[in-house]
Amino acid sequence: MRRLNKKDQYIVNDVFEKDSSMYEDNLQEQIEDIRSKGGRYRVKTIKSGDYLESEIYPIWDTKANGRKPKAKESRLAQRNLNNKNTIKKLIRLMNCNFTNDDIMCTFTYDDAHLPSNIKKAQQDIVNYLRRLKTFVKKNKLPELKYIYVTEYNNQNENKIRVHHHIVMNFQDRDVAEKYWKCGGRTQSRRLQHDEYGLEGLARYILKDPKGTKRYTCSQNLKKPIVTVADSKMTIAKVLKIIEHRIDAKAFFTKMYKGYKFNDIQYFFSDYVSGAYIRVRMKC
């Protein structure tokens, strides 16, 4: 089989976040569709600190068979995809960079310090980080790493109700709270990883942010390690996995030595043919 050039491939590596149905609903129909249409499968592996995700999805030689998506995505579907991809990116960044020694803080305002607009609120958190960085440098602590999200609601024409969530590698909760100078409540707590790392926290702080910039992070964060392979998975193996003819836990534990199996999900896209598999694991 000839090697596929990038321009000849139709790749849907984020189909997991589209409006897909779980495999039990029409499994046999989907399996027959996979068998009849063929194609190749790609394995995308994302390592975020101690956590690993494996995303398995089809690729086709579009130059040879002219394969196209089943249907054009709606704007709503694309917005949902963008939103969920943002959440995935944040989860991975947090898992790469923060441990249970680090903290998450929530800062609010008293009435006297309520900002007049979101720009002023953003400046408040920037000023806070500047003060904290000065403390870190003076005390020769590790370089500050952070991710923050600002949530707000319009209160009236002159004031907005705002609070900030910030996750950072700063460990002194008393100092972290002390350096917030806008009154209101200050709450801090240690991070707590579970089998999925900090996914729950990432979803919580992104539950209702406004504006186009969902979160802001320092430039010194480690990035997830992403690798792609086109020879690890065949259609036959994919079918055996989704039909439960092989033990998925044993299969992926053998593929990714040193990682413990968390779970596996199966999807079929509303827009593209083929099976889509996501596996999550932990060191």
Side-chain angles (χ1 to χ4, degrees):
M1 183 180 292
R2 74 182 181 89
R3 182 179 179 84
L4 301 187
N5 295 320
K6 186 174 181 180
K7 65 180 182 179
D8 294 338
Q9 297 174 23
Y10 182 77
I11 302 170
V12 185
N13 54 5
D14 287 316
V15 72
F16 307 98
E17 301 305 336
K18 297 182 186 294
D19 295 328
S20 303
S21 56
M22 289 302 291
Y23 74 105
E24 289 94 344
D25 295 340
N26 53 355
L27 179 59
Q28 290 305 316
E29 179 182 340
Q30 297 288 356
I31 287 173
E32 291 306 316
D33 184 62
I34 294 168
R35 285 198 176 104
S36 64
K37 293 182 178 177
R40 299 175 63 186
Y41 275 80
R42 173 162 291 176
V43 178
K44 180 179 179 182
T45 303
I46 307 102
K47 295 181 180 180
S48 308
D50 291 338
Y51 305 89
L52 179 148
E53 299 166 76
S54 182
E55 296 183 341
I56 301 165
Y57 51 90
I59 57 176
W60 298 283
D61 184 349
T62 57
K63 191 172 183 178
N65 60 24
R67 184 177 295 278
K68 297 179 180 180
K70 289 180 181 177
K72 187 176 180 179
E73 295 179 61
S74 68
R75 290 184 179 180
L76 177 59
Q78 187 60 51
R79 284 198 300 270
N80 289 338
L81 171 61
N82 293 341
N83 176 59
K84 293 175 181 178
N85 282 340
T86 297
I87 293 173
K88 284 203 301 185
K89 184 177 180 181
L90 179 59
I91 292 168
R92 291 165 181 169
L93 279 176
M94 288 175 62
N95 283 343
C96 277
N97 290 279
F98 302 106
T99 73
N100 287 347
D101 292 326
D102 301 326
I103 64 174
M104 179 264 200
C105 297
T106 298
F107 299 130
T108 66
Y109 292 80
D110 60 21
D111 290 341
H113 292 88
L114 280 178
S116 57
N117 53 57
I118 190 60
K119 184 176 181 180
K120 176 61 171 62
Q122 294 287 5
Q123 189 59 51
D124 289 336
I125 194 69
V126 168
N127 291 342
Y128 168 79
L129 289 167
R130 186 178 294 120
R131 291 190 293 270
L132 207 56
K133 288 177 182 177
T134 299
F135 178 89
V136 164
K137 185 175 181 180
K138 181 178 179 180
N139 290 274
K140 298 181 180 179
L141 298 173
E143 183 182 16
L144 190 67
K145 298 196 293 185
Y146 60 84
I147 298 174
Y148 71 81
V149 174
T150 297
E151 294 186 47
Y152 66 93
N153 292 304
N154 292 326
Q155 189 177 18
N156 56 49
E157 291 182 358
N158 299 316
K159 301 288 184 181
I160 58 173
R161 184 63 65 179
V162 181
H163 64 273
H164 306 278
H165 298 297
I166 181 167
V167 177
M168 52 187 171
N169 67 332
F170 191 78
Q171 298 179 6
D172 191 322
R173 294 169 59 191
D174 291 335
V175 171
E177 293 180 4
K178 174 185 174 182
Y179 273 71
W180 178 247
K181 303 297 185 182
C182 296
R185 295 177 180 175
T186 58
Q187 298 177 334
S188 64
R189 63 180 176 86
R190 297 281 174 214
L191 302 182
Q192 294 183 334
H193 285 243
D194 59 21
E195 64 267 34
Y196 302 108
L198 297 171
E199 177 175 343
L201 178 59
R203 292 184 182 278
Y204 170 73
I205 66 175
L206 272 185
K207 63 185 182 300
D208 190 34
K210 303 294 194 300
T212 56
K213 198 166 189 178
R214 302 293 304 277
Y215 62 86
T216 302
C217 58
S218 56
Q219 296 299 308
N220 57 347
L221 297 185
K222 296 178 183 178
K223 301 297 191 295
I225 299 171
V226 181
T227 56
V228 173
D230 290 346
S231 58
K232 282 188 175 182
M233 192 67 59
T234 63
I235 289 179
K237 286 181 182 178
V238 168
L239 289 172
K240 286 180 180 179
I241 291 169
I242 64 177
E243 291 181 292
H244 306 295
R245 288 188 282 127
I246 61 175
D247 185 328
K249 179 178 180 179
F251 180 85
F252 288 102
T253 300
K254 183 177 179 181
M255 178 184 291
Y256 296 109
K257 298 186 186 309
Y259 287 88
K260 296 179 180 179
F261 183 88
N262 278 344
D263 63 19
I264 185 169
Q265 296 171 296
Y266 312 82
F267 300 93
F268 296 103
S269 173
D270 293 332
Y271 307 109
V272 186
S273 298
Y276 304 84
I277 301 172
R278 174 195 282 155
V279 177
R280 293 186 290 182
M281 308 182 75
K282 181 182 183 297
C283 280

